[in-house]
Amino acid sequence: MSMYFHLRAVPPPALRNSATWFQRLFADDWDTVRERIGRHREEVLDKGYLRHELLYAGAPPHRTPDRPNTHVVLGGRPVAPADPSLPPFLVLTAAQTHRVAEYLEEADFGDLWRQARGELMRPYDVPDAERTLRGAFASAHRDLTAFYRQTAHYGDAVVKWLLA
């Protein structure tokens, strides 16, 4: 089973503080979401999403305090779904989304990579793995930056959820 971490942009007037509404938001296909909330933007990270978090929040034990960089992947206010076996939804307000977008626009990927490189490379004991791995993280960084930039431009909030 593959796990994916989905981030969806939602205009604040359409946003509901309801786990049922959030679950429906992620259950619907893109066209249905677009019809219900007026537009659709989504970013998806594969099962390595926790590794992406290291890039922004810092490799343990040097984690940073709760700032925009810690909200990029796993940050947000948790909202528990009705089914306690499911992971919580994470909600970023439009203001938090704007701060994350600013952080990503100013962040230097090379600096982020150098800070987290040791921890990110640890599971891979293969020569020449760094170029491929660094490329994958750089690509995800560009995608996340574009997602947050556009979401902030529209003044939208972000809802996140881990899906299998």
Side-chain angles (χ1 to χ4, degrees):
M1 171 179 9
S2 293
M3 304 283 274
Y4 294 91
F5 198 69
H6 289 236
L7 298 84
R8 284 198 166 171
V10 180
L15 189 62
R16 304 290 177 263
N17 192 22
S18 158
T20 302
W21 190 87
F22 293 148
Q23 202 155 358
R24 201 170 81 232
L25 174 71
F26 285 96
D28 289 340
D29 62 36
W30 291 6
D31 292 330
T32 304
V33 171
R34 185 179 295 114
E35 288 173 20
R36 188 169 65 246
I37 65 176
R39 57 184 171 262
H40 172 76
R41 284 180 314 288
E42 177 177 67
E43 186 58 44
V44 178
L45 296 174
D46 68 11
K47 61 186 174 189
Y49 68 91
L50 285 173
R51 310 295 296 166
H52 290 283
E53 178 68 1
L54 288 174
L55 193 66
Y56 302 107
H62 307 292
R63 293 191 105 46
T64 57
D66 189 25
R67 295 189 185 153
N69 56 325
T70 62
H71 279 60
V72 174
V73 178
L74 296 177
R77 177 180 52 85
V79 175
D83 181 348
S85 69
L86 295 174
F89 299 95
L90 301 171
V91 181
L92 290 179
T93 65
Q96 290 170 316
T97 298
H98 182 76
R99 287 193 297 276
V100 169
E102 285 180 334
Y103 162 75
L104 288 171
E105 288 289 333
E106 295 171 5
D108 177 84
F109 177 77
D111 289 343
L112 294 171
W113 177 259
R114 280 186 290 283
Q115 175 185 324
R117 181 191 172 281
E119 189 70 24
L120 293 173
M121 292 298 299
R122 189 176 319 254
Y124 306 93
D125 187 23
V126 180
D128 302 329
E130 183 168 358
R131 183 175 23 184
T132 302
L133 191 61
R134 188 180 196 282
F137 276 90
S139 176
H141 175 73
R142 285 189 301 273
D143 292 347
L144 285 167
T145 300
F147 169 78
Y148 277 107
R149 178 189 316 118
Q150 185 178 25
T151 302
H153 171 76
Y154 283 109
D156 289 347
V158 171
V159 180
K160 308 170 189 181
W161 200 31
L162 174 67
L163 293 172

